[in-house]
Amino acid sequence: MRLSTRNQLPGTITEVDIGAVMATIKVRLAGGDQIITSSITKDAAESLQLQVGQDATVFIKSTEVTIGVQ
């Protein structure tokens, strides 16, 4: 598969939490303890048959990253 997304981070799925509409997937990045959390649709998670322990690649394509604190 070839993609235009340049930020491709390999890792392993550590958690799959499927709700009524959305799913939360946690991926531990290769070579460290960093975890990326992704929210995707329930349908997408089921279609991909995501499972804990499965190798996965996180693709990040964003024009803006925002952080807010008080």
Side-chain angles (χ1 to χ4, degrees):
M1 167 184 359
R2 295 178 358 167
L3 299 171
S4 64
T5 306
R6 297 291 179 227
N7 300 308
Q8 301 180 20
L9 308 171
T12 304
I13 296 174
T14 60
E15 186 176 321
V16 176
D17 181 18
I18 298 179
V21 177
M22 298 295 292
T24 302
I25 314 302
K26 293 190 178 193
V27 177
R28 180 180 307 280
L29 299 183
D33 289 330
Q34 295 174 314
I35 300 220
I36 298 285
T37 302
S38 176
S39 294
I40 63 175
T41 64
K42 174 185 176 183
D43 289 345
E46 290 175 346
S47 176
L48 291 169
Q49 299 177 348
L50 300 178
Q51 298 178 19
V52 172
Q54 181 178 19
D55 289 336
T57 302
V58 175
F59 299 93
I60 300 172
K61 187 165 187 167
S62 177
T63 57
E64 179 179 352
V65 176
T66 304
I67 297 174
V69 296
Q70 285 188 325

